């Protein structure tokens, strides 16, 4: 199994790049933001509770997202690996993820961390807010709250994986294609040969 964390602040391009990575390498994309928005649109109890936090730009409680991730990992026993997008976002989530993977006798292979300046992030999110329908995208003070949560609680997750020498920083400004090429170089270096063969056959 090859497991990758795509890390970075809100609006840094995690979702955009995830789509390209899964297309090429066939990993299972796991975005906690997308999973939570799906719960909201289905008006589940979990979604209704999570929305209260998301609308303020705050993180949803750890036990909620850890439970969701655990369910999806269990539901995909045969996949060639996971691409985690927007998870883990706290040290507690990182520790829980390590344990869940250990239970499956695998690990995180690499964390690729997108670096994008704050001004660029705010502009990108406001632009998307014109059409995305995301309630946390079109209000600058909520965007700032998301960035503050990232600095206060999420940046430490990179330190967690840095102690195992698993973090690679990637310049996240430029064209989508340029950034994808930089990410892909790091993935190809590490992905096991068997999985590279499978993804080439799928091309
Ligand atoms: P989530 O959905 O994860 O949002 P986010 O991390 O805040 O980031 P985005 O999804 O907005 O950005 P992105 O990095 O995916 O960038 P994208 O590719 O879309 O989380 C939302 C909320 O859910 C959180 O605030 C929290 O409440 C809750 N939540 C989620 N996970 C949680 C967890 N684990 N624990 C607790 N709570 C959790 O790009 C952004 C825009 O930029 C797009 O319009 C895109 O087209 C554009 N763009 C992309 N690349 C480029 C480029 N190179 N140049 C110019 N524009 C670009
Ligand atoms: Mg996203």
């Amino acid at each position: 199994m090859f497991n990758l964390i795509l890390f970075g602040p809100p609006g840094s391009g995690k979702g955009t790049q995830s789509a390209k990575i899964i297309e090429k390498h066939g990993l299972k994309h796991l975005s906690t933001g997308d999973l939570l928005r799906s719960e909201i649109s289905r008006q589940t109890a979990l979604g209704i509770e999570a929305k209260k936090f998301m609308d303020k730009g705050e993180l949803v409680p750890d036990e909620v997202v850890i439970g969701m991730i655990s369910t999806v990992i269990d539901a995909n026993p045969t996949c060639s690996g996971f691409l985690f997008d927007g998870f883990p976002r706290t040290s507690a989530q990182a520790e829980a993820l390590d344990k869940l993977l250990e239970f499956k006798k695998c690990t995180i292979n690499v964390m690729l961390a997108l670096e994008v300046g704050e001004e660029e992030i705010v502009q990108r999110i406001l632009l998307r807010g014109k059409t995305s329908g995301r309630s946390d995208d079109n209000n600058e003070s909520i965007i700032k709250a998301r960035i503050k949560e990232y600095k206060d609680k999420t940046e430490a997750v990179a330190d967690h994986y840095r102690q195992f020498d698993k973090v690679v920083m990637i310049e996240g400004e430029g064209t989508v294609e340029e950034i994808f090429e930089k990410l892909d170089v790091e993935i190809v270096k590490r992905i096991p040969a068997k999985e590279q063969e499978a993804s080439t056959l799928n091309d």
Side-chain angles (χ1 to χ4, degrees):
M1 254 192 153
F2 179 79
N3 297 305
L4 158 70
I5 298 173
L6 192 53
F7 190 72
S12 55
K14 302 183 294 295
T16 306
Q17 296 297 335
S18 290
K20 295 178 74 66
I21 294 169
I22 57 160
E23 194 192 347
K24 176 159 183 202
H25 295 289
L27 303 172
K28 170 82 184 159
H29 182 205
L30 240 165
S31 154
T32 37
D34 290 349
L35 291 170
L36 289 165
R37 281 184 288 278
S38 158
E39 297 278 344
I40 292 174
S41 69
R42 287 181 284 125
Q43 298 198 323
T44 63
L46 190 156
I48 291 164
E49 189 53 29
K51 189 174 187 312
K52 295 179 194 160
F53 296 90
M54 292 166 77
D55 281 351
K56 290 187 276 183
E58 291 171 9
L59 293 183
V60 172
D62 285 336
E63 55 275 18
V64 175
V65 281
I66 292 167
M68 259 180 8
I69 286 285
S70 169
T71 306
V72 185
I73 290 179
D74 285 344
N76 289 278
T78 59
C79 82
S80 61
F82 295 101
L83 191 177
F84 296 97
D85 158 4
F87 179 88
R89 245 168 155 113
T90 62
S91 301
Q93 291 179 22
E95 280 159 26
L97 176 62
D98 290 350
K99 288 210 182 88
L100 284 171
L101 293 178
E102 205 181 304
F103 197 64
K104 304 265 167 213
K105 302 208 179 339
C106 58
T107 186
I108 290 296
N109 296 76
V110 66
M111 169 187 268
L112 300 177
L114 294 167
E115 289 185 290
V116 181
E118 191 163 326
E119 241 176 71
E120 168 80 9
I121 283 172
V122 174
Q123 291 317 313
R124 283 186 191 181
I125 298 178
L126 283 173
L127 186 66
R128 181 179 57 188
K130 291 181 184 166
T131 53
S132 70
R134 272 178 61 167
S135 53
D136 57 348
D137 270 357
N138 45 26
N139 176 319
E140 198 159 338
S141 70
I142 296 173
I143 298 170
K144 295 270 180 189
R146 286 162 63 188
I147 295 171
K148 185 170 186 319
E149 286 282 79
Y150 176 78
K151 288 185 177 155
D152 291 350
K153 299 176 185 163
T154 306
E155 270 179 349
V157 174
D159 297 332
H160 172 85
Y161 289 102
R162 222 168 252 131
Q163 57 176 324
F164 308 111
D165 208 15
K166 290 187 174 174
V167 182
V168 180
M169 306 302 290
I170 303 282
E171 163 68 65
E173 295 189 32
T175 69
V176 169
E177 202 51 47
E178 281 164 359
I179 297 160
F180 173 68
E181 278 167 22
K182 285 186 267 182
L183 293 166
D184 196 45
V185 165
E186 299 300 331
I187 295 170
V188 169
K189 262 190 224 168
R190 293 171 173 82
I191 203 159
K194 205 169 58 166
E195 267 133 44
Q196 280 200 40
E197 245 172 62
S199 71
T200 321
L201 288 175
N202 291 336
D203 279 350

